[in-house]
Amino acid sequence: MELADTFVINLRFACATRRSISQICREIGINRQQFNRYISGEARPSAHNVARIAAFFGLSAQDFSLSPKLFEARMTRPGRDRSEARLLFEGFPGDISALRRHVGYYQTYHISPSWPGLVVCSCARIYEDSGSIRVKSIERIRDAANEIQQFSKYVGLVTFWRNRIFITERSVGREPMLSQTILMPFEVHQRTYLRGTTMGVSWRKENQPYASRMIWRHIGQEPDIRQMLERCGVLAFGSRQLPATVRSFLDTPAAEVLTVPSEY
């Protein structure tokens, strides 16, 4: 059997496990007419598109080169589709076409109980990779008064559902933590700020859970990375480095940080 024929047979089987071809195309972000050519065998997708298709089905690109029998076994192995973890993972990236409008670099701002009365400024990048929308974040804090230097990295996934952006991140290090951020997409007449909330654990308060407002400022596709990193740190509300829009969003009684005391 020719490799191309194997790919077509496997793709058809994979598509049969979903509600419709239209849904598949919409969530992957591939033109329906072009996808039909893949299914019919009239055209072979690029390596990039094969990776995007495979990621949508939770497979590797190499899986589509398996014999149809082995491919079916991989697609239908016990517990695969019934797994709750599997259902969770399938929630990413959601509406990928809507998410692509938000790809780029950001300066992020939020209030943390670790630095009461100050704003934590970090930087992040949302980007597309192999059919997924991913995020990388860096938090760099230099507190000379308290002789503290903190450098943290985070990696995660981004999804778009019901006109909201959901970001799940994991810190990189010996003692990893998870955080969740929900942002509202750009408004019709502004393409700079994403407003929402974040939930995580405080760095200096015995890993105390907290939730607070979060706002992301879009910097562009190719910013000065060094300049972005230099902006990172803790800022007073009166700092000139704090944009007025950020200040007004965070410096209100409604933006109070919610925490869970350790004694509970």
Side-chain angles (χ1 to χ4, degrees), residues 102-159:
H102 304 93
V103 165
Y105 288 83
Y106 292 83
Q107 208 83 54
T108 73
Y109 305 86
H110 76 286
I111 304 173
S112 165
S114 294
W115 314 96
L118 299 172
V119 177
V120 178
C121 175
S122 307
C123 56
R125 179 194 176 201
I126 294 177
Y127 63 101
E128 183 173 355
D129 180 48
S130 301
S132 296
I133 302 295
R134 303 175 184 271
V135 61
K136 288 184 178 179
S137 303
I138 292 178
E139 187 174 273
R140 187 173 70 173
I141 295 176
R142 290 168 293 191
D143 184 353
N146 295 297
E147 298 183 349
I148 292 175
Q149 289 194 18
Q150 175 191 351
F151 185 83
S152 304
K153 291 184 177 181
Y154 302 84
V155 295
L157 292 171
V158 187
T159 187

Side-chain angles (χ1 to χ4, degrees), residues 100-109 124-126 186 190-194 215-223 228 231 246:
R100 287 192 178 111
R101 291 179 294 169
H102 304 93
V103 165
Y105 288 83
Y106 292 83
Q107 208 83 54
T108 73
Y109 305 86
R125 179 194 176 201
I126 294 177
F186 292 137
Q190 73 90 13
R191 294 289 186 272
T192 302
Y193 292 100
L194 300 175
I215 182 168
W216 288 36
R217 179 172 177 256
H218 188 244
I219 304 299
Q221 301 296 332
E222 297 181 2
M228 284 187 64
R231 294 194 193 107
V246 173

Side-chain angles (χ1 to χ4, degrees), residues 154-224:
Y154 302 84
V155 295
L157 292 171
V158 187
T159 187
F160 192 103
W161 290 100
R162 297 180 66 180
N163 203 38
R164 292 293 181 266
I165 301 168
F166 297 84
I167 302 172
T168 300
E169 294 180 276
R170 175 186 183 273
S171 60
V172 178
R174 294 182 178 179
E175 299 180 352
M177 291 290 184
L178 294 175
S179 64
Q180 176 78 48
T181 299
I182 303 175
L183 302 171
M184 293 180 285
F186 292 137
E187 297 175 4
V188 176
H189 301 296
Q190 73 90 13
R191 294 289 186 272
T192 302
Y193 292 100
L194 300 175
R195 297 171 174 83
T197 61
T198 189
M199 182 176 69
V201 294
S202 59
W203 184 67
R204 298 174 63 196
K205 299 287 185 178
E206 300 178 345
N207 296 331
Q208 185 181 85
Y210 76 91
S212 70
R213 284 192 178 190
M214 166 75 86
I215 182 168
W216 288 36
R217 179 172 177 256
H218 188 244
I219 304 299
Q221 301 296 332
E222 297 181 2
D224 185 327

Side-chain angles (χ1 to χ4, degrees), residues 32-48:
R32 171 66 186 270
Q33 292 182 338
Q34 185 65 26
F35 197 82
N36 284 342
R37 296 182 67 199
Y38 300 158
I39 296 175
S40 67
E42 296 178 28
R44 178 66 183 252
S46 65
H48 176 68

Side-chain angles (χ1 to χ4, degrees), residues 85-103:
R86 177 68 198 163
L87 291 175
L88 176 63
F89 185 75
E90 287 181 351
F92 296 86
D95 188 344
I96 194 169
S97 61
L99 266 180
R100 287 192 178 111
R101 291 179 294 169
H102 304 93
V103 165

